[in-house]
Amino acid sequence: MLYTTRAPKPSAELDFSLLWLALGLLAIGLVMVYSASIAIAEAARYTGHNGEYYLLRQGIFIVLGVGVGMAAFQVPMRVWQQAAPYLFLAGLLLLVVVLIPGIGREVNGSRRWIPLGFANLQPSELMKFLAVLYAADYTTRKAAFMHDFKKGFLPMAAVMLVAGALLLQEPDFGAFVVIISIAMGILFLGGLNWKVFAGLVVVLLAGFVLLILTSPYRLQRVLGFMDPFADPYGKGYQLSHALIAFGRGEWLGLGLGGSVEKLFYLPEAHTDFLLAVIAEEFGFVGVAVVIGLFAWLIVKAFVIGHRAAQLERNFCALVAQGIGIWLGVQALINMGVNVGLLPTKGLTLPFLSFGGSGIVANCLAVAVLLRIDWEHRQMMRGKTF
């Protein structure tokens, strides 16, 4: 029997462990965003804000994200596959629009946001999700050419370089790294020749080094990361205070609300450096819990992808694994930045950090994972898609 677009019924057929895992991360993020932002929100009372300003906005973003996720769950994977190239083109168009003066909003020298009145749309966040869909669709369509450098890799490389060039114009180097990681990971999982893959990794590493050396502000960030306490009031300011937060937290932390670094010492405490606040208030144990939850989520994504591959649903397999790569790479970079293992980058911690576009994109990712798993369970009952 051919499956129609009938809405799935909530039942035990849904992977509730994945659902509760995602909701748990969102809940932790909501509490920690409030804790990390209450001081700066109180300080901005003259603008009409109050202490709950970021809490309320994050709550609205989560409700919006869950709503978008519920709608996305109703969409069959075959529809996502058919729409993937068009959605990716729409994402590229948004990356162009955000660069137009007067439309894109510039903050701290970066033009990454499109004002919508009640919130700001960050196209690079949605582009991560769209890159997963497009790369999975492309790899599935070109499966027979994955061992051919010209036919298998070059077309995909050209498209991703266009997206990368637009991201670097904002500039958003962090999103560029994540999207390239998604594309490369999906191509590799889709059967790209390992020799070609190894060569590309070397080229990409050389390219990243060149981008850093030719950009003064990126070079300063790298120098500051190597020894933040050499210039604690300059280029090492953010990282030095993040490390102080980790040190103060020790094993069990100072308790919820006990962070001192969030009191105007640590910039972007509710976004890029939320993990440092978690470390100060809940210590090593709190950080370990967060890392464990992310590891569990990523493993579940790859397990769902493996099950799809066993059922010969290659697009679904690559989408699930691509989502695992996306969330894993972004979380790893954010955590690496917070503990001083990587240079400071403007990448948020998925599900936890403050931000509307990121929350919506993360909820979309979980909804698609749930949909893939739900379709598998239906197939086990004899239904086809």
Side-chain angles (χ1 to χ4, degrees), residues 317-351:
L318 292 174
V319 168
Q321 292 167 344
I323 289 172
I325 292 170
W326 159 25
L327 297 177
V329 168
Q330 183 164 334
L332 183 64
I333 292 175
N334 178 273
M335 293 174 183
V337 166
N338 273 254
V339 299
L341 293 176
L342 294 171
T344 303
K345 285 307 308 163
L347 271 180
T348 56
L349 190 59
F351 298 100

Side-chain angles (χ1 to χ4, degrees), residues 254-272:
L254 304 173
L256 181 62
S259 170
V260 173
E261 287 299 320
K262 68 185 181 185
L263 304 178
F264 310 105
Y265 294 105
L266 180 62
E268 310 298 337
H270 60 305
T271 55
D272 300 354

